[in-house]
């Protein structure tokens, strides 16, 4: 092998090393950008992609609720579990098992998803269904939802028709009794 062949072999080797170094740097940059982009993904976005599938949602004061995620909106989600529907306050969600690996960005959501927790509770009230309000402290109140304010709901309980006001901040979930 002549000196020219050795020189070209050296250049080839240096070029291979430079390519490998560039590929390593590029892989690190792609991984870093991927992590940075994932910071934009919200739990609600993952839940939105889970609509129509079965998941187990951990809820403060209740524990796991397993069922089909029917709807996700601003601050709440609807889970159909066996004979009961659950309107779950999103702030009370602790864990989700079985969620989609995908996410739906907020810009792709329907305008109906802007309806807040009060809207979901008003639907229960208008239907006249009995329900159980589960609070974050583990207590519960069963009765008829009468009215829903901006940050609380009014429940009529028991035979004596006692009225209980429940702040949304204390509410973990509303469970249908139908």
């Amino acid at each position: 092998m002549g000196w020219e062949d050795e020189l070209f072999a050296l250049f080839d080797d240096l070029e291979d090393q430079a390519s490998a170094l560039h590929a390593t740097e590029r892989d690190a940059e792609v991984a870093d950008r991927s992590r940075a982009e994932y910071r934009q993904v919200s739990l609600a976005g993952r839940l939105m992609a889970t609509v129509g599938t079965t998941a187990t949602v951990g809820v403060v004061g209740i524990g796991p609720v397993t069922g089909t995620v029917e709807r996700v909106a601003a601050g709440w989600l609807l889970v159909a579990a066996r004979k009961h529907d659950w309107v779950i306050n999103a702030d009370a969600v602790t864990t989700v098992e079985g969620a989609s690996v995908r996410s739906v960005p907020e810009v792709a959501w329907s305008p109906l998803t802007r309806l807040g927790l009060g809207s979901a509770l008003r639907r229960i009230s208008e239907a006249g269904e009995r329900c159980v309000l589960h609070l974050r402290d583990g207590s519960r109140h069963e009765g008829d939802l009468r009215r829903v304010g901006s940050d609380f709901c009014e429940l009529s309980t028991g035979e004596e028709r006692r009225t209980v006001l429940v702040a949304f901040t204390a509410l973990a979930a509303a469970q249908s009794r139908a």
Side-chain angles (χ1 to χ4, degrees):
M1 178 188 275
W3 68 269
E4 290 177 338
D5 290 335
E6 288 180 19
L7 186 59
F8 283 126
L10 176 64
F11 287 149
D12 286 343
D13 184 47
L14 289 173
E15 190 173 312
D16 289 344
Q17 288 179 27
S19 292
L21 183 59
H22 176 68
T24 301
E25 288 176 358
R26 188 183 72 243
D27 290 347
E29 182 179 345
V30 167
D32 188 48
R33 285 186 182 186
S34 178
R35 282 189 297 274
E37 284 299 314
Y38 196 72
R39 286 189 300 221
Q40 305 300 317
V41 175
S42 67
L43 178 60
R46 290 286 301 270
L47 288 169
M48 186 64 74
T50 306
V51 168
T53 63
T54 299
T56 299
V57 180
V59 183
V60 172
I62 298 170
V65 174
T66 301
T68 303
V69 177
E70 296 286 334
R71 178 174 286 174
V72 177
W76 63 278
L77 60 144
L78 174 64
V79 176
R82 296 187 191 139
K83 298 178 183 179
H84 305 291
D85 287 340
W86 291 80
V87 173
I88 301 172
N89 190 340
D91 289 340
V93 172
T94 58
T95 59
V96 179
E97 294 178 46
S100 172
V101 296
R102 304 188 77 191
S103 174
V104 177
E106 231 178 286
V107 297
W109 295 4
S110 158
L112 293 177
T113 61
R114 291 189 186 99
L115 298 174
L117 179 61
S119 294
L121 296 175
R122 281 184 199 91
R123 294 286 303 249
I124 295 171
S125 174
E126 290 166 3
E129 296 178 14
R130 289 188 64 72
C131 68
V132 179
L133 298 183
H134 295 266
L135 304 188
R136 294 172 193 242
D137 67 4
S139 64
R140 39 188 277 171
H141 299 278
E142 185 170 350
D144 299 308
L145 268 179
R146 292 293 178 205
R147 296 186 290 189
V148 179
S150 65
D151 60 353
F152 75 99
C153 58
E154 184 177 303
L155 187 75
S156 180
T157 65
E159 291 180 22
E160 66 277 356
R161 295 317 228 179
R162 195 173 45 113
T163 299
V164 177
L165 303 181
V166 177
F168 289 172
T169 56
L171 182 67
Q175 176 188 17
S176 70
R177 277 313 219 192

